[in-house]
Coordinates of all heavy atoms in Angstrom, one line a residue:
M109 N -113.7 142.2 143.5 CA -112.4 141.6 143.6 C -112.4 140.7 144.8 O -111.4 140.7 145.6 CB -111.3 142.7 143.7 CG -111.2 143.5 142.5 SD -110.6 142.6 141.0 CE -108.9 142.8 141.1
A110 N -113.4 139.9 144.9 CA -113.5 139.0 146.1 C -112.3 138.0 146.1 O -111.8 137.6 147.1 CB -114.8 138.3 146.1
I111 N -111.9 137.6 144.9 CA -110.8 136.5 144.8 C -109.5 137.1 145.3 O -108.8 136.4 146.0 CB -110.6 136.1 143.3 CG1 -111.9 135.3 142.9 CG2 -109.4 135.3 143.1 CD1 -111.9 134.9 141.4
L112 N -109.2 138.4 145.1 CA -107.9 138.9 145.5 C -108.0 139.4 147.0 O -106.9 139.8 147.5 CB -107.5 140.0 144.6 CG -107.1 139.6 143.2 CD1 -106.7 140.8 142.4 CD2 -105.9 138.6 143.3
S113 N -109.1 139.4 147.6 CA -109.3 139.9 148.9 C -108.5 139.0 149.9 O -108.6 137.8 149.8 CB -110.7 140.0 149.3 OG -110.8 140.1 150.7
L114 N -107.7 139.6 150.8 CA -106.9 138.9 151.7 C -107.6 138.9 153.1 O -106.9 138.8 154.1 CB -105.5 139.4 151.8 CG -104.7 139.4 150.5 CD1 -103.4 140.0 150.8 CD2 -104.6 138.0 150.0
S115 N -108.9 138.9 153.1 CA -109.6 139.1 154.4 C -109.7 137.8 155.2 O -109.7 137.9 156.4 CB -111.0 139.6 154.1 OG -111.7 138.6 153.3
T116 N -109.6 136.6 154.6 CA -109.7 135.4 155.4 C -108.2 134.9 155.7 O -107.3 135.1 154.9 CB -110.4 134.3 154.7 OG1 -109.7 133.9 153.6 CG2 -111.8 134.8 154.3
P117 N -108.1 134.3 156.9 CA -106.7 133.7 157.2 C -106.2 132.8 156.2 O -105.0 132.8 155.9 CB -107.0 133.0 158.6 CG -108.2 133.6 159.1 CD -109.0 134.1 158.0
A118 N -107.1 131.9 155.6 CA -106.7 131.0 154.6 C -106.1 131.7 153.4 O -105.0 131.3 152.8 CB -107.8 130.1 154.1
R119 N -106.7 132.8 153.0 CA -106.2 133.6 151.8 C -104.9 134.3 152.2 O -104.0 134.4 151.3 CB -107.2 134.6 151.3 CG -108.4 133.9 150.6 CD -109.2 134.9 149.9 NE -110.3 134.2 149.2 CZ -111.5 134.6 149.1 NH1 -111.9 135.7 149.7 NH2 -112.4 133.9 148.5
R120 N -104.8 134.7 153.4 CA -103.5 135.4 153.8 C -102.3 134.3 153.8 O -101.3 134.6 153.3 CB -103.6 136.0 155.2 CG -104.1 137.4 155.2 CD -104.1 138.0 156.5 NE -105.4 138.6 156.7 CZ -106.2 138.4 157.8 NH1 -105.7 137.7 158.8 NH2 -107.3 139.0 157.9
I121 N -102.6 133.1 154.3 CA -101.6 132.1 154.3 C -101.3 131.7 152.8 O -100.1 131.6 152.5 CB -102.1 130.8 155.0 CG1 -102.2 131.1 156.5 CG2 -101.2 129.6 154.8 CD1 -102.8 130.1 157.4
G122 N -102.3 131.7 152.0 CA -102.1 131.4 150.6 C -101.2 132.4 149.9 O -100.3 132.1 149.2
A123 N -101.5 133.7 150.3 CA -100.7 134.8 149.7 C -99.2 134.8 150.2 O -98.3 135.0 149.4 CB -101.3 136.2 150.1
V124 N -99.0 134.4 151.5 CA -97.7 134.3 152.0 C -96.9 133.2 151.3 O -95.8 133.3 150.9 CB -97.7 134.1 153.5 CG1 -96.3 133.7 154.0 CG2 -98.1 135.4 154.2
L125 N -97.6 132.0 151.1 CA -97.0 130.9 150.4 C -96.6 131.2 149.0 O -95.5 130.9 148.5 CB -97.9 129.6 150.5 CG -98.1 129.0 151.8 CD1 -99.1 127.8 151.8 CD2 -96.7 128.4 152.3
A126 N -97.6 131.9 148.3 CA -97.3 132.3 146.9 C -96.1 133.2 146.8 O -95.2 133.1 146.0 CB -98.5 132.9 146.3
A127 N -96.0 134.2 147.8 CA -94.9 135.1 147.8 C -93.6 134.4 148.1 O -92.6 134.7 147.4 CB -95.2 136.2 148.8
S128 N -93.7 133.5 149.0 CA -92.5 132.7 149.4 C -92.0 131.9 148.2 O -90.8 131.8 147.9 CB -92.7 131.7 150.5 OG -93.1 132.5 151.6
A129 N -92.9 131.3 147.4 CA -92.6 130.5 146.2 C -91.9 131.4 145.2 O -91.0 131.0 144.5 CB -93.8 129.8 145.7
L130 N -92.4 132.6 145.0 CA -91.9 133.5 144.1 C -90.4 133.9 144.5 O -89.5 133.9 143.6 CB -92.7 134.8 144.0 CG -93.9 134.7 143.1 CD1 -94.7 136.0 143.2 CD2 -93.5 134.5 141.6
V131 N -90.2 134.2 145.8 CA -88.9 134.5 146.2 C -87.9 133.4 146.1 O -86.8 133.5 145.5 CB -88.9 135.0 147.7 CG1 -87.5 135.1 148.3 CG2 -89.7 136.3 147.9
A132 N -88.4 132.2 146.5 CA -87.5 131.0 146.3 C -87.2 130.7 144.8 O -86.1 130.4 144.5 CB -88.2 129.7 146.9
G133 N -88.2 130.9 144.0 CA -88.0 130.7 142.5 C -87.0 131.7 142.0 O -86.1 131.3 141.2
G134 N -87.1 132.9 142.5 CA -86.1 134.0 142.1 C -84.7 133.6 142.5 O -83.8 133.8 141.7
L135 N -84.6 133.2 143.7 CA -83.2 132.8 144.2 C -82.6 131.7 143.4 O -81.5 131.7 143.1 CB -83.3 132.4 145.7 CG -83.5 133.6 146.7 CD1 -83.8 133.0 148.1 CD2 -82.4 134.5 146.7
L136 N -83.5 130.6 143.1 CA -83.0 129.5 142.4 C -82.6 129.9 140.9 O -81.6 129.6 140.4 CB -84.1 128.4 142.3 CG -84.2 127.5 143.5 CD1 -85.4 126.6 143.4 CD2 -83.0 126.7 143.8
A137 N -83.5 130.8 140.3 CA -83.2 131.2 139.0 C -81.9 132.1 138.9 O -81.2 132.0 137.9 CB -84.4 132.0 138.4
S138 N -81.7 132.8 140.0 CA -80.5 133.7 139.9 C -79.2 132.9 140.2 O -78.1 133.4 139.9 CB -80.6 134.8 141.0 OG -80.4 134.2 142.3
G139 N -79.3 131.6 140.6 CA -78.1 130.8 140.8 C -77.4 131.1 142.1 O -76.4 130.5 142.4
I140 N -78.0 132.0 143.0 CA -77.4 132.4 144.2 C -77.2 131.2 145.2 O -76.3 131.2 146.0 CB -78.1 133.6 144.8 CG1 -77.2 134.4 145.6 CG2 -79.3 133.1 145.7 CD1 -77.8 135.8 146.0
L141 N -78.1 130.2 145.1 CA -78.0 129.1 146.0 C -77.1 128.0 145.5 O -76.9 127.0 146.2 CB -79.4 128.5 146.2 CG -80.5 129.5 146.8 CD1 -81.8 128.9 146.9 CD2 -80.0 130.0 148.2
E142 N -76.6 128.2 144.3 CA -75.8 127.1 143.7 C -74.3 127.3 143.9 O -73.5 126.5 143.5 CB -76.1 127.0 142.2 CG -77.5 126.5 142.0 CD -77.8 126.4 140.5 OE1 -76.9 126.4 139.7 OE2 -79.0 126.4 140.2
R143 N -73.9 128.4 144.5 CA -72.5 128.7 144.6 C -71.9 127.9 145.8 O -72.6 127.8 146.8 CB -72.2 130.2 144.8 CG -72.6 131.0 143.6 CD -72.0 132.3 143.5 NE -72.4 132.9 142.3 CZ -73.4 133.9 142.3 NH1 -74.0 134.3 143.4 NH2 -73.8 134.4 141.1
S144 N -70.7 127.4 145.7 CA -70.1 126.7 146.8 C -68.6 127.0 146.9 O -68.1 127.6 145.9 CB -70.3 125.2 146.6 OG -69.4 124.7 145.6
A145 N -68.0 126.7 148.0 CA -66.6 126.9 148.1 C -65.8 126.1 147.1 O -64.8 126.6 146.6 CB -66.1 126.5 149.5
V146 N -66.3 124.9 146.7 CA -65.6 124.1 145.7 C -65.7 124.8 144.4 O -64.6 124.9 143.7 CB -66.3 122.7 145.6 CG1 -65.8 121.9 144.5 CG2 -66.2 122.0 146.9
A147 N -66.8 125.4 144.0 CA -66.9 126.0 142.7 C -65.9 127.2 142.6 O -65.3 127.4 141.6 CB -68.3 126.5 142.5
Q148 N -65.7 127.9 143.7 CA -64.8 129.1 143.7 C -63.4 128.5 143.4 O -62.6 129.1 142.7 CB -64.8 129.8 145.0 CG -66.0 130.7 145.1 CD -66.2 131.2 146.5 OE1 -65.4 131.1 147.4 NE2 -67.4 131.9 146.7
D149 N -63.0 127.4 144.1 CA -61.7 126.8 143.9 C -61.5 126.4 142.4 O -60.4 126.5 141.9 CB -61.5 125.6 144.8 CG -61.3 126.1 146.3 OD1 -61.0 127.3 146.4 OD2 -61.4 125.3 147.1
V150 N -62.6 125.8 141.8 CA -62.5 125.4 140.4 C -62.3 126.6 139.5 O -61.5 126.5 138.5 CB -63.7 124.6 140.0 CG1 -63.7 124.3 138.6 CG2 -63.8 123.3 140.8
E151 N -62.9 127.7 139.8 CA -62.8 128.9 139.0 C -61.4 129.5 139.1 O -60.9 130.1 138.1 CB -63.8 129.9 139.3 CG -65.2 129.5 138.8 CD -66.3 130.3 139.4 OE1 -66.0 131.4 140.0 OE2 -67.5 129.9 139.3
A152 N -60.7 129.4 140.2 CA -59.4 129.9 140.4 C -58.5 128.8 140.9 O -58.2 128.6 142.1 CB -59.4 131.0 141.4
P153 N -58.0 127.9 140.0 CA -57.2 126.7 140.4 C -55.9 127.2 141.1 O -55.4 128.3 140.8 CB -56.9 126.0 139.1 CG -57.7 126.7 138.0 CD -58.2 128.0 138.6
L154 N -55.4 126.3 141.9 CA -54.2 126.6 142.6 C -53.0 126.6 141.7 O -53.0 125.9 140.6 CB -53.9 125.5 143.7 CG -54.9 125.4 144.8 CD1 -54.6 124.2 145.7 CD2 -54.9 126.6 145.6
S155 N -52.0 127.3 142.0 CA -50.7 127.4 141.2 C -50.0 126.0 141.4 O -50.3 125.3 142.4 CB -49.9 128.5 141.6 OG -49.4 128.3 142.9
Q156 N -49.0 125.8 140.6 CA -48.2 124.6 140.7 C -47.5 124.6 142.1 O -47.4 123.5 142.8 CB -47.1 124.5 139.6 CG -47.7 124.2 138.2 CD -48.2 122.8 138.1 OE1 -47.6 121.8 138.7 NE2 -49.3 122.6 137.4
D157 N -47.0 125.7 142.5 CA -46.3 125.8 143.8 C -47.2 125.6 144.9 O -46.9 124.9 145.9 CB -45.6 127.2 143.9 CG -44.4 127.4 143.0 OD1 -43.9 126.3 142.6 OD2 -44.0 128.5 142.8
A158 N -48.5 126.1 144.9 CA -49.4 125.9 145.9 C -49.8 124.4 146.0 O -49.9 123.9 147.1 CB -50.7 126.8 145.7
M159 N -49.9 123.8 144.9 CA -50.3 122.3 144.9 C -49.1 121.5 145.5 O -49.3 120.6 146.3 CB -50.6 121.8 143.5 CG -52.0 122.2 143.0 SD -52.5 121.3 141.6 CE -52.0 122.4 140.3
K160 N -47.9 121.9 145.1 CA -46.7 121.2 145.7 C -46.7 121.3 147.2 O -46.4 120.4 147.9 CB -45.4 121.7 145.1 CG -45.0 121.0 143.8 CD -43.6 121.5 143.4 CE -43.4 121.0 142.0 NZ -42.4 121.8 141.2
A161 N -47.0 122.6 147.7 CA -47.0 122.8 149.1 C -48.1 122.0 149.9 O -47.9 121.6 151.0 CB -47.2 124.3 149.4
L162 N -49.2 121.7 149.2 CA -50.2 120.9 149.8 C -50.0 119.4 149.7 O -50.7 118.6 150.4 CB -51.6 121.2 149.1 CG -52.3 122.5 149.5 CD1 -53.5 122.8 148.7 CD2 -52.7 122.4 151.0
A163 N -49.1 119.0 148.9 CA -48.9 117.5 148.6 C -48.6 116.7 149.9 O -49.2 115.7 150.1 CB -47.8 117.3 147.6
P164 N -47.8 117.2 150.8 CA -47.6 116.4 152.1 C -48.9 116.2 152.9 O -49.1 115.1 153.4 CB -46.5 117.2 152.9 CG -45.9 118.1 151.9 CD -46.9 118.3 150.8
R165 N -49.7 117.3 152.9 CA -51.0 117.2 153.6 C -51.9 116.2 152.9 O -52.6 115.4 153.6 CB -51.6 118.6 153.7 CG -52.8 118.6 154.6 CD -53.2 120.1 154.8 NE -54.6 120.1 155.1 CZ -55.4 121.1 154.8 NH1 -54.9 122.2 154.2 NH2 -56.7 121.1 155.1
G166 N -51.9 116.2 151.6 CA -52.7 115.3 150.8 C -52.3 113.9 151.0 O -53.1 113.0 151.1
A167 N -51.0 113.6 151.1 CA -50.5 112.3 151.4 C -51.0 111.7 152.7 O -51.4 110.6 152.8 CB -49.0 112.3 151.3
K168 N -51.0 112.6 153.7 CA -51.5 112.2 155.0 C -53.0 111.9 155.0 O -53.5 110.9 155.6 CB -51.3 113.3 156.1 CG -49.9 113.4 156.6 CD -49.7 114.5 157.6 CE -48.3 114.7 157.9 NZ -48.1 116.0 158.6
V169 N -53.8 112.7 154.3 CA -55.2 112.5 154.2 C -55.5 111.2 153.4 O -56.3 110.4 153.8 CB -55.9 113.7 153.4 CG1 -57.4 113.3 153.1 CG2 -55.9 114.9 154.3
A170 N -54.7 110.9 152.3 CA -54.9 109.7 151.6 C -54.6 108.5 152.4 O -55.2 107.5 152.3 CB -54.0 109.8 150.3
A171 N -53.5 108.6 153.2 CA -53.2 107.5 154.1 C -54.2 107.2 155.2 O -54.7 106.1 155.4 CB -51.8 107.7 154.8
A172 N -54.7 108.3 155.8 CA -55.7 108.2 156.8 C -57.1 107.6 156.3 O -57.7 106.9 156.9 CB -56.0 109.6 157.5
A173 N -57.4 108.0 155.0 CA -58.7 107.6 154.4 C -58.5 106.2 153.7 O -59.5 105.7 153.3 CB -59.2 108.6 153.4
D174 N -57.3 105.7 153.6 CA -57.0 104.4 153.0 C -57.5 104.3 151.6 O -58.0 103.3 151.1 CB -57.6 103.3 153.9 CG -56.9 102.0 153.7 OD1 -55.8 102.0 153.1 OD2 -57.4 100.9 154.1
C175 N -57.3 105.4 150.8 CA -57.6 105.4 149.4 C -56.9 104.3 148.6 O -57.5 103.7 147.7 CB -57.2 106.8 148.8 SG -57.6 108.2 149.7
F176 N -55.7 104.0 149.1 CA -54.9 103.0 148.4 C -55.6 101.6 148.4 O -55.5 100.9 147.4 CB -53.6 102.8 149.2 CG -52.5 102.0 148.6 CD1 -51.6 102.6 147.7 CD2 -52.4 100.7 148.9 CE1 -50.6 101.8 147.1 CE2 -51.4 99.9 148.3 CZ -50.5 100.5 147.4
A177 N -56.4 101.3 149.4 CA -57.0 100.0 149.5 C -57.9 99.7 148.3 O -57.9 98.6 147.8 CB -57.9 99.9 150.8
C178 N -58.6 100.7 147.8 CA -59.5 100.4 146.7 C -58.8 100.8 145.4 O -59.1 100.2 144.3 CB -60.8 101.2 146.8 SG -61.9 100.6 148.1
H179 N -58.0 101.8 145.4 CA -57.5 102.3 144.1 C -56.2 101.6 143.7 O -55.4 102.1 142.9 CB -57.3 103.9 144.2 CG -58.6 104.6 144.1 ND1 -59.2 104.8 142.9 CD2 -59.4 105.0 145.1 CE1 -60.4 105.4 143.2 NE2 -60.5 105.5 144.5
T180 N -55.9 100.4 144.3 CA -54.8 99.6 143.8 C -55.3 98.2 143.8 O -55.8 97.6 144.7 CB -53.6 99.7 144.8 OG1 -53.2 101.0 145.0 CG2 -52.5 98.8 144.4
A181 N -55.3 97.6 142.6 CA -55.7 96.2 142.4 C -54.6 95.3 142.9 O -53.4 95.6 143.0 CB -56.0 95.9 140.9
R182 N -55.0 94.1 143.3 CA -54.0 93.1 143.8 C -53.0 92.9 142.7 O -53.3 92.5 141.6 CB -54.7 91.7 144.1 CG -55.4 91.8 145.4 CD -55.8 90.4 145.9 NE -56.6 90.6 147.1 CZ -58.0 90.6 147.1 NH1 -58.6 90.5 145.9 NH2 -58.7 90.9 148.2
G183 N -51.7 93.1 143.0 CA -50.6 92.9 142.1 C -50.5 94.1 141.1 O -49.6 94.0 140.2
G184 N -51.4 95.1 141.2 CA -51.4 96.2 140.2 C -50.5 97.3 140.6 O -50.0 97.3 141.8
A185 N -50.3 98.3 139.7 CA -49.5 99.5 140.0 C -50.2 100.3 141.1 O -51.5 100.4 141.1 CB -49.3 100.3 138.8
P186 N -49.4 101.0 142.0 CA -50.1 101.8 143.1 C -51.0 102.9 142.5 O -50.6 103.5 141.5 CB -48.9 102.4 143.8 CG -47.7 101.5 143.5 CD -48.0 100.9 142.1
W187 N -52.1 103.0 143.0 CA -53.1 104.0 142.6 C -53.7 103.8 141.3 O -54.5 104.7 140.8 CB -52.5 105.4 142.7 CG -51.9 105.7 144.1 CD1 -50.5 105.8 144.3 CD2 -52.5 105.9 145.3 NE1 -50.3 106.0 145.6 CE2 -51.5 106.1 146.3 CE3 -53.8 106.0 145.7 CZ2 -51.7 106.3 147.6 CZ3 -54.1 106.2 147.1 CH2 -53.0 106.4 148.0
A188 N -53.4 102.8 140.5 CA -53.8 102.6 139.1 C -55.2 102.1 139.0 O -55.7 101.9 137.9 CB -52.8 101.7 138.4
G189 N -55.9 101.8 140.1 CA -57.2 101.3 140.1 C -57.4 99.9 139.6 O -56.4 99.1 139.7
G190 N -58.6 99.5 139.2 CA -58.8 98.1 138.7 C -59.4 97.2 139.7 O -59.8 96.1 139.3
L191 N -59.4 97.6 140.9 CA -60.0 96.7 141.9 C -61.5 96.6 141.7 O -62.2 97.6 141.7 CB -59.7 97.2 143.4 CG -60.2 96.2 144.5 CD1 -59.2 95.1 144.6 CD2 -60.3 97.0 145.8
P192 N -62.0 95.3 141.6 CA -63.5 95.2 141.4 C -64.2 95.3 142.7 O -63.8 94.6 143.7 CB -63.7 93.9 140.7 CG -62.4 93.1 141.1 CD -61.3 94.1 141.4
L193 N -65.2 96.1 142.8 CA -66.1 96.1 144.0 C -67.5 95.7 143.7 O -68.1 96.2 142.8 CB -66.1 97.6 144.5 CG -64.8 98.2 145.0 CD1 -65.0 99.7 145.2 CD2 -64.4 97.6 146.3
E194 N -67.9 94.6 144.4 CA -69.2 94.1 144.1 C -70.3 94.9 144.8 O -70.1 95.2 146.0 CB -69.3 92.6 144.5 CG -68.6 91.7 143.5 CD -68.9 90.2 143.8 OE1 -70.1 89.9 144.2 OE2 -68.0 89.4 143.5
T195 N -71.3 95.3 144.1 CA -72.4 96.1 144.7 C -73.7 95.4 144.3 O -73.7 94.6 143.4 CB -72.4 97.5 144.2 OG1 -72.8 97.5 142.9 CG2 -71.0 98.2 144.3
P196 N -74.8 95.7 145.0 CA -76.1 95.2 144.6 C -76.5 95.5 143.2 O -77.3 94.8 142.6 CB -77.1 95.8 145.6 CG -76.2 96.2 146.8 CD -74.9 96.6 146.2
F197 N -75.9 96.5 142.6 CA -76.3 96.9 141.2 C -75.2 96.6 140.2 O -75.1 97.1 139.1 CB -76.7 98.3 141.1 CG -75.9 99.3 141.9 CD1 -74.8 99.9 141.4 CD2 -76.2 99.6 143.2 CE1 -74.0 100.7 142.1 CE2 -75.4 100.5 144.0 CZ -74.3 101.0 143.4
G198 N -74.2 95.7 140.6 CA -73.2 95.3 139.7 C -71.8 95.6 140.2 O -71.6 96.1 141.3
I199 N -70.8 95.2 139.4 CA -69.4 95.4 139.8 C -68.9 96.8 139.3 O -69.1 97.1 138.2 CB -68.5 94.3 139.2 CG1 -68.9 92.9 139.8 CG2 -67.0 94.6 139.5 CD1 -68.2 91.7 139.2
I200 N -68.3 97.5 140.3 CA -67.7 98.8 139.9 C -66.2 98.7 140.1 O -65.8 98.2 141.2 CB -68.3 99.9 140.9 CG1 -69.8 100.0 140.7 CG2 -67.6 101.3 140.5 CD1 -70.4 101.0 141.7
H201 N -65.5 99.1 139.1 CA -64.0 99.0 139.2 C -63.5 100.4 139.7 O -63.8 101.4 139.2 CB -63.4 98.7 137.9 CG -63.6 97.2 137.5 ND1 -64.7 96.9 136.8 CD2 -62.9 96.1 137.8 CE1 -64.7 95.6 136.6 NE2 -63.7 95.1 137.2
A202 N -62.6 100.3 140.8 CA -62.0 101.6 141.2 C -61.1 102.1 140.1 O -60.5 101.4 139.4 CB -61.2 101.3 142.5
T203 N -61.2 103.4 139.9 CA -60.5 104.1 138.8 C -59.0 104.4 139.1 O -58.6 104.4 140.2 CB -61.2 105.4 138.5 OG1 -61.4 106.1 139.7 CG2 -62.6 105.2 137.8
N204 N -58.3 104.7 138.0 CA -56.9 105.1 138.1 C -56.9 106.5 138.7 O -57.4 107.4 138.0 CB -56.3 105.0 136.7 CG -54.9 105.7 136.6 OD1 -54.2 105.8 137.6 ND2 -54.6 106.1 135.5
I205 N -56.3 106.7 139.8 CA -56.1 108.1 140.3 C -54.6 108.4 140.5 O -54.2 109.3 141.2 CB -56.9 108.3 141.7 CG1 -56.4 107.3 142.8 CG2 -58.4 108.3 141.4 CD1 -57.0 107.7 144.1
S206 N -53.8 107.6 139.8 CA -52.3 107.9 139.8 C -52.1 109.1 138.8 O -52.9 109.4 137.9 CB -51.5 106.7 139.3 OG -51.7 106.5 137.9
P207 N -50.9 109.7 138.8 CA -50.6 110.8 137.9 C -50.5 110.2 136.4 O -50.5 111.0 135.5 CB -49.3 111.4 138.3 CG -49.0 110.8 139.7 CD -49.8 109.5 139.8
S208 N -50.3 108.9 136.3 CA -50.1 108.4 134.9 C -51.4 108.2 134.2 O -52.4 107.6 134.8 CB -49.4 107.0 135.0 OG -49.5 106.3 133.8
P209 N -51.6 108.7 133.0 CA -52.8 108.5 132.3 C -53.1 107.1 132.0 O -54.3 106.7 131.7 CB -52.6 109.4 131.0 CG -51.2 109.6 130.8 CD -50.6 109.4 132.2
R210 N -52.1 106.2 131.9 CA -52.4 104.8 131.6 C -52.6 104.0 132.8 O -53.0 102.8 132.8 CB -51.2 104.2 130.8 CG -51.2 104.7 129.3 CD -50.0 104.2 128.6 NE -48.8 104.9 128.9 CZ -47.7 104.4 129.5 NH1 -47.6 103.2 129.7 NH2 -46.7 105.2 129.8
G211 N -52.3 104.5 134.0 CA -52.4 103.7 135.3 C -51.2 102.9 135.6 O -50.3 102.8 134.9
Ligands
LIG331 C1 -64.2 101.7 149.3 C2 -63.4 101.8 148.1 C3 -62.8 103.2 147.8 C4 -62.1 104.0 148.7 C5 -61.7 103.7 150.1 C6 -61.8 105.2 147.9 N1 -62.3 105.1 146.7 FE1 -62.2 106.5 145.2 N2 -63.3 105.4 144.0 C7 -63.8 104.1 144.3 C8 -64.5 103.6 143.1 C9 -65.2 102.2 143.1 C10 -64.5 104.7 142.2 C11 -65.2 104.6 140.8 C12 -66.6 105.1 141.0 C13 -67.4 105.1 139.7 O1 -66.9 104.6 138.7 O2 -68.5 105.7 139.7 C14 -63.8 105.8 142.8 C15 -63.6 106.9 142.1 C16 -62.7 107.9 142.6 C17 -62.3 109.1 141.8 C18 -62.9 109.5 140.5 C19 -61.8 109.1 139.4 C20 -62.3 109.4 138.0 O3 -61.6 108.9 137.1 O4 -63.3 110.1 137.8 C21 -61.4 109.8 142.6 C22 -60.7 111.1 142.2 C23 -61.2 109.0 143.8 N3 -62.0 107.9 143.8 C24 -60.4 109.4 144.8 C25 -60.3 108.8 146.0 C26 -59.6 109.3 147.2 C27 -58.8 110.6 147.2 C28 -59.8 108.4 148.2 C29 -59.4 108.5 149.6 C30 -59.7 109.8 150.3 C31 -60.7 107.4 147.7 N4 -61.0 107.6 146.4 C32 -61.1 106.3 148.4 C33 -63.5 103.4 145.4 C34 -62.9 103.9 146.6

C-alpha cells in the first residue's frame, strides 16, 4: 500500500488538501454557505404595518442615494423609469420602481 502511505511530506499535504476539498464540497452541497440575511427576510416577508413603519426611513435612503435621478425620465412620471443610460455594452433603461405597474 505504498500509494496510500502518508510517510512523505508531499503525500501528507496532498491528504490534507484532499480532506479539505471533501469538507468544502460537503459544505457547498449542504447549502450551508448559501444562506444570507436577505434570504431569511425573503422567506418571512414583513407585514403591511411593518412596511408602513419603515417607509419614512426608506424615503430618506432613496433621497440620500438619489434613486430619483435615474428612475425618472426627463418629463416622465416620478420613479417610472425610462431614462436611457449609455454603457460600453449598449443602452440600459432604468426600470419603473413606482408602485404603479404601468409606471
Ligand atoms: C446610476 C443610475 C441609477 C441609480 C442612481 C439607481 N438606479 Fe436602480 N436601476 C438603474 C438601472 C439602469 C436599472 C435597470 C438595470 C437592468 O435592467 O439590468 C435599475 C434597476 C433597479 C431595480 C430593479 C427593478 C426591476 O424591475 O427589476 C430596482 C428595484 C432599483 N433599480 C432600485 C433602485 C434604488 C432603490 C435606488 C436608490 C437606492 C436606485 N435604484 C438607484 C439605474 C439606477
